[in-house]
Amino acid sequence: MSAVRIEDFETACTALQNAFRTEPSYWYLACKLQDKPLSLAIDSEENIDDLTRNFFTHYHDNGAHIMQSGNYATIAIWVPPEIDVPMSRTSDESFNKIFFDNSLAVKQRVIPQGMKYYYLFMIGKDPESPVKGSVRSMFENYIEIADRERIALVLEAISEHARDVYAHFGFVNYNTFHYGIGEVSASGQLDSNGEGHTGYLMVYLPK
């Protein structure tokens, strides 16, 4: 099994929608990064799917590598170092500090000066697909590229489970960050006393 560029836009988009539809931490990030009210994500699955399509279309149209493995079982959006996909700062400056400013500082500290990196914006395994091993195939493909080209891989894990999966492939957590505190509960509901969510900025450095 290998990771290859997608040929079917709709199939790939649907797979990502299926993967993220029930993930509350993603709801929060999707609304924030698109400057939408947090209540939007709670209202309906259709709203979540629309937000995912917005991401997918934006990265696709700006030249990111949209990859699939396992016959569209796993979809990943990789931004190679030679591509600049614009991502505007949000209207929430506290979020900007957490997600943009602090993350940039960590990357500058961790990644050796002059070393380029691939950024994994999204990766999702379609829960409706019976194919096994597609996530492994995706990561093994890019780890081979990283080691061969002496290039880093960077991502944010938005759950403990995801963090542990990425750690298995050699990614190291360099920054545990918290977002949505006082805005949402762990289940994604609006809550002024909510504990929010925890994320992890992880980097793979070439061997």
Side-chain angles (χ1 to χ4, degrees), residues 20-28 38 41-43 48 158 179-180 183-191 193-198:
F20 285 97
R21 192 175 293 128
T22 60
E23 179 52 63
S25 56
Y26 170 75
W27 304 348
Y28 180 92
L38 296 177
I42 301 170
D43 289 343
I48 295 296
I158 60 173
Y179 55 98
E183 294 181 279
V184 294
S185 67
S187 62
Q189 301 300 307
L190 295 177
D191 185 349
N193 296 310
E195 64 270 47
H197 305 290
T198 301

Side-chain angles (χ1 to χ4, degrees), residues 35-129:
D35 257 340
K36 304 293 186 182
L38 296 177
S39 57
L40 184 72
I42 301 170
D43 289 343
S44 71
E45 290 185 349
E46 183 178 356
N47 289 343
I48 295 296
D49 286 352
D50 287 344
L51 293 171
T52 302
R53 177 174 285 273
N54 291 344
F55 280 144
F56 189 82
T57 301
H58 176 72
Y59 276 82
H60 176 273
D61 291 352
N62 280 280
H65 293 180
I66 315 295
M67 308 296 292
Q68 64 92 4
S69 58
N71 192 25
Y72 292 83
T74 290
I75 307 296
I77 300 176
W78 291 94
V79 181
E82 68 273 15
I83 297 293
D84 181 20
V85 177
M87 178 59 76
S88 300
R89 294 173 71 88
T90 76
S91 58
D92 184 340
E93 281 304 322
S94 62
F95 177 82
N96 291 337
K97 179 176 177 59
I98 293 168
F99 199 81
F100 293 112
D101 301 337
N102 293 351
S103 292
L104 177 60
V106 172
K107 286 183 283 188
Q108 291 175 335
R109 172 174 57 84
V110 170
I111 299 174
Q113 187 174 7
M115 180 177 286
K116 299 178 180 180
Y117 67 87
Y118 277 86
Y119 173 56
L120 179 59
F121 177 67
M122 293 177 74
I123 182 169
K125 168 68 166 63
D126 188 345
E128 297 182 5
S129 171

Side-chain angles (χ1 to χ4, degrees), residues 112-161:
Q113 187 174 7
M115 180 177 286
K116 299 178 180 180
Y117 67 87
Y118 277 86
Y119 173 56
L120 179 59
F121 177 67
M122 293 177 74
I123 182 169
K125 168 68 166 63
D126 188 345
E128 297 182 5
S129 171
V131 176
K132 298 183 183 300
S134 57
V135 172
R136 173 178 292 277
S137 174
M138 181 67 69
F139 277 108
E140 287 180 345
N141 181 82
Y142 275 84
I143 287 169
E144 190 275 331
I145 292 173
D147 291 343
R148 183 181 72 243
E149 299 183 4
R150 304 298 299 166
I151 197 166
L153 307 175
V154 178
L155 57 81
E156 291 98 8
I158 60 173
S159 70
E160 289 186 4
H161 172 71

Side-chain angles (χ1 to χ4, degrees), residues 152-177:
L153 307 175
V154 178
L155 57 81
E156 291 98 8
I158 60 173
S159 70
E160 289 186 4
H161 172 71
R163 177 200 62 192
D164 294 345
V165 170
Y166 304 147
H168 176 75
F169 291 111
F171 286 80
V172 176
N173 174 36
Y174 289 99
N175 181 38
T176 298
F177 58 95

